[in-house]
Amino acid sequence: MENHTKVTEFILVGFKSHPGLQLLLSVLFSTMYIVTVVGNACMILIIRMDSKLHTPMYFFLENLSILDICYSSIITPKAALTFSLGRRIISYNGCASQMFFFSLFGTTEAFFLAVMAYDRFTAICNPLLYQIIMNKRLCVFMVMGSYLSGCINCTIQTGFTFSLSFCGPKKINHFFCDVPAVMHASCSDTLVNEIVMLAVCGSIIVGTALVVFISYGYIIITIVRMPSAESRRKAFSTCSSHMLAVSLFFGTVYFMYAQPGATSSPDKSNTISILYTTVIPMLNPFIYTLRNKEVKGSLKKQFKMKGFF
């Protein structure tokens, strides 16, 4: 077998087209990244500055915002520079590092969404025991467990992928070092790697999605059985934002990693990847803010205190 350490760098060729389009992509990615950082940073500040939001639900939401900033920072700034300067070369170690941290934050986000679904299940289906069940110790344990699960997955994915031999043209048909795209660039037989990716990523996506679906199944049953329309509306409003975020995230991730032949359509994967690398982290703070009365109320309170109106 060829020694994969012969390759010291890769060339990212995703979205390589007319220079005018490259500049447009650079501006688009830069704008989305700024909005992502500002939006999520504002969400973190709002939660930390308002004591009424110091609850398990907003503790998880604050951590999700921190995660989204990290998640987007791994990919978007590098992609924007690549489009604007045309420097598409990434070192072997840089590619491995990018894949490691991207897999870490992406996997952790899947577990975060499952944890947040369980939190909403407990709040709506067991309201009297909510404070006892969702204590601070359990919340911290869930966050740390999510990161630990992310570490395990990214170690497996990165280790297996970079054990392959890279002896070809060194071109990666993507705008970042994603697992399927890097495997596609290898000159080794990738069958075992594809099976491992399908098994590990599939089990994570199916497992976390099951927690979400089961939680919301019980939530919907509980909401339907509520006696008044007002109580049903209030209960549903606390879940609708999370349901939208879950649908966006799991829909795109399933398409990318949890189905056979995930490495066979790189061009389509490039387009889908924009959704979960840049668009979803940018949309999350708006989804949770615009559909959440407590956050909007806290935001208005902060503006009044600062004398804006």
Side-chain angles (χ1 to χ4, degrees):
M1 181 178 288
E2 302 253 6
N3 190 344
H4 67 271
T5 55
K6 283 184 177 180
V7 173
T8 58
E9 59 187 28
F10 296 101
I11 303 171
L12 300 169
V13 297
F15 296 120
K16 191 172 183 179
S17 57
H18 191 274
L21 181 58
Q22 296 296 296
L23 181 60
L24 178 63
L25 285 171
S26 177
V27 172
L28 180 63
F29 272 62
S30 299
T31 302
M32 288 193 292
Y33 180 65
I34 292 169
V35 174
T36 298
V37 173
V38 172
N40 283 286
C42 287
M43 179 66 76
I44 295 167
L45 287 173
I46 291 168
I47 293 171
R48 291 193 174 181
M49 292 173 68
D50 193 339
S51 59
K52 290 182 180 179
L53 301 182
H54 294 175
T55 63
M57 174 182 173
Y58 293 104
F59 172 73
F60 295 131
L61 188 53
E62 179 185 354
N63 278 277
L64 180 65
S65 293
I66 295 170
L67 186 67
D68 277 339
I69 292 174
C70 297
Y71 187 46
S72 183
S73 297
I74 297 300
I75 305 300
T76 314
K78 170 67 177 174
L81 285 173
T82 297
F83 296 137
S84 63
L85 302 178
R87 296 176 61 183
R88 294 178 171 271
I89 294 174
I90 185 170
S91 69
Y92 181 91
N93 291 333
C95 188
S97 299
Q98 190 180 60
M99 180 184 294
F100 180 89
F101 287 107
F102 179 73
S103 297
L104 167 63
F105 296 132
T107 305
T108 303
E109 180 144 350
F111 280 93
F112 267 15
L113 293 174
V115 165
M116 292 170 73
Y118 176 75
D119 172 70
R120 291 300 84 206
F121 159 76
T122 308
I124 293 172
C125 300
N126 297 291
L128 298 178
L129 297 175
Y130 179 70
Q131 295 296 334
I132 297 173
I133 296 173
M134 299 302 296
N135 55 70
K136 186 175 182 180
R137 183 178 179 182
L138 179 62
C139 292
V140 172
F141 176 79
M142 285 179 165
V143 169
M144 297 305 295
S146 297
Y147 275 105
L148 178 60
S149 301
C151 282
I152 293 171
N153 179 53
C154 69
T155 301
I156 293 172
Q157 296 294 342
T158 307
F160 268 82
T161 302
F162 281 89
S163 66
L164 296 170
S165 295
F166 298 95
C167 49
K170 305 184 294 184
K171 291 182 178 179
I172 297 175
N173 192 1
H174 215 313
F175 61 91
F176 72 99
C177 291
D178 198 12
V179 176
V182 176
M183 279 199 291
H184 199 263
S186 171
C187 55
S188 301
D189 182 3
T190 62
L191 178 61
V192 173
N193 292 71
E194 290 192 49
I195 292 172
V196 170
M197 185 182 76
L198 184 63
V200 176
C201 292
S203 61
I204 290 171
I205 295 168
V206 171
T208 51
L210 273 177
V211 173
V212 172
F213 292 144
I214 292 172
S215 297
Y216 277 106
Y218 279 106
I219 287 171
I220 291 169
I221 292 171
T222 302
I223 291 175
V224 169
R225 291 176 178 174
M226 288 179 176
S228 69
E230 178 62 23
S231 58
R232 288 194 296 270
R233 186 199 61 77
K234 185 177 180 181
F236 181 76
S237 68
T238 65
C239 303
S240 57
S241 300
H242 186 251
M243 291 171 68
L244 179 57
V246 163
S247 300
L248 287 171
F249 182 84
F250 281 104
T252 54
V253 170
Y254 171 79
F255 179 87
M256 288 297 301
Y257 303 107
Q259 59 174 331
T263 64
S264 62
S265 54
D267 292 330
K268 191 180 293 184
S269 298
N270 288 350
T271 305
I272 296 296
S273 296
I274 295 176
L275 285 175
Y276 68 88
T277 56
T278 58
V279 177
I280 293 177
M282 178 185 69
L283 289 180
N284 276 345
F286 296 100
I287 291 172
Y288 286 105
T289 301
L290 296 177
R291 300 185 62 87
N292 190 305
K293 284 188 175 181
E294 290 180 321
V295 174
K296 286 191 289 187
S298 177
L299 190 58
K300 288 179 181 178
K301 179 183 174 183
Q302 295 301 325
F303 278 136
K304 285 182 179 178
M305 291 176 63
K306 300 296 181 182
F308 287 103
F309 55 81

